[in-house]
């Protein structure tokens, strides 16, 4: 079977899945303005779990775009949405203490912007990542579709998710990490395990994280490289994630669901030490 035939068959199958899950909703969620805005907020997402399980008064509270978020978004766009990356806000100055930088973020109403040197390093990360044949083959699978949204019911509540890369076999999620060797240990801290559970449930495919190190290294021959890692998700981790999702749903029902009678303004921390 040719690559084109494989891709065509998969796209037909995926379009049917999207239609079954509400094609008009899915279509609207493709637009980041709706996905992250009022329309998308009617669905729970993995980004809500930390607040719901640790600090519920922060549920869907506005958050500023910080360094990790902005750099990660540029990394994603360079691989998945190259047209958007062309107009990514980048400031040609030496540091964030300069007047040029401060005026730029103020004039463009940004919380944080990349410097030219930041953008150059991220482009180097991307080039190195895609030069690896294993990563390249996964990202450029003939069935791959990028930035695919989905909605569905999990634990009695509607959730949304947007797959970085969806193939006929996997949901592939791109991550960058300060220490790829500690990614497995740190994944639950960043709620990547719950993301995997939600996405596997929504898309009915196993989740695999493709991770690129943020810091360039030198080998014995003085060649510059970035650590790369491929991380499937174990059943044990999925079990931990399911418990955390259940905690989030319980908190949502207690404080925020339409039928809730509890007032979040009355929330206090009440736990033994």
């Amino acid at each position: 079977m040719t690559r084109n035939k494989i891709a065509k068959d998969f796209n037909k199958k995926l379009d049917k899945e999207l239609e079954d899950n509400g094609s008009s909703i899915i279509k609207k969620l493709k637009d980041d303005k709706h996905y992250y805005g009022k329309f998308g907020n009617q669905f729970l997402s993995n980004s809500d779990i930390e607040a719901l399980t640790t600090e519920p008064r922060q549920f869907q509270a506005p958050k500023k775009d910080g360094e990790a978020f902005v750099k990660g978004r540029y990394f994603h766009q360079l691989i998945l949405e190259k047209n958007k990356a062309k107009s990514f806000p980048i400031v040609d100055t030496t540091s964030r203490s300069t007047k040029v930088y401060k005026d730029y973020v103020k004039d463009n109403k940004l919380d944080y912007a990349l410097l030219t040197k930041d953008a150059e390093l991220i482009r180097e990360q991307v080039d190195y990542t895609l030069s690896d044949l294993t990563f390249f083959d996964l990202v450029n699978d003939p069935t791959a579709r990028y930035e695919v949204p989905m909605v569905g019911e999990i634990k009695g509540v509607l959730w949304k998710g947007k797959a970085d890369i969806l193939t006929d076999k996997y949901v592939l999620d791109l991550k960058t990490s300060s220490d790829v060797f500690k990614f497995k240990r740190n994944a639950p801290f960043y709620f990547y395990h719950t993301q995997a559970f939600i996405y596997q449930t929504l898309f009915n495919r196993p989740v695999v994280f493709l991770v690129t190190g943020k810091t360039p290294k030198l080998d014995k021959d003085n060649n510059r490289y970035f650590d790369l890692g491929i991380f499937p998700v174990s059943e044990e981790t999925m079990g931990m994630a399911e418990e955390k999702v259940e905690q989030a749903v319980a908190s949502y029902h207690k404080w925020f669901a339409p039928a809730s009678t509890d007032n979040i303004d009355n929330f206090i921390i009440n736990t033994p030490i």
Side-chain angles (χ1 to χ4, degrees), residues 16-32:
K16 179 63 167 61
E17 290 181 34
L18 297 177
E19 182 180 343
D20 291 343
N21 282 273
S23 58
S24 61
I25 293 174
I26 301 298
K27 184 176 181 180
K28 197 166 184 177
L29 289 176
K30 286 182 179 180
D31 187 332
D32 285 349

Side-chain angles (χ1 to χ4, degrees), residues 182-272:
K182 294 179 181 177
F183 182 84
K184 177 181 177 180
R185 186 194 72 181
N186 292 336
F189 177 79
Y190 293 107
F191 293 87
Y192 295 156
H193 64 325
T194 52
Q195 180 189 359
F197 176 80
I198 292 166
Y199 282 33
Q200 179 168 306
T201 305
L202 291 179
F203 292 98
N204 196 32
R205 291 164 180 77
V207 174
V208 178
F209 292 104
L210 306 181
V211 185
T212 302
K214 295 180 180 180
T215 305
K217 297 181 177 181
L218 297 176
D219 65 16
K220 65 181 181 63
D221 297 317
N222 217 35
N223 297 313
R224 190 171 163 104
Y225 71 97
F226 294 86
D227 290 323
L228 299 175
I230 298 175
F231 296 88
V233 185
S234 68
E235 290 187 14
E236 180 183 2
T237 297
M238 280 295 189
M240 292 169 49
E242 184 172 11
E243 291 181 7
K244 184 63 70 172
V245 169
E246 288 172 347
Q247 293 173 20
V249 169
S251 176
Y252 173 75
H253 280 307
K254 179 176 177 61
W255 300 110
F256 304 105
S260 172
T261 58
D262 291 323
N263 186 344
I264 190 61
D265 292 339
N266 296 329
F267 173 80
I268 60 171
I269 301 169
N270 185 359
T271 184

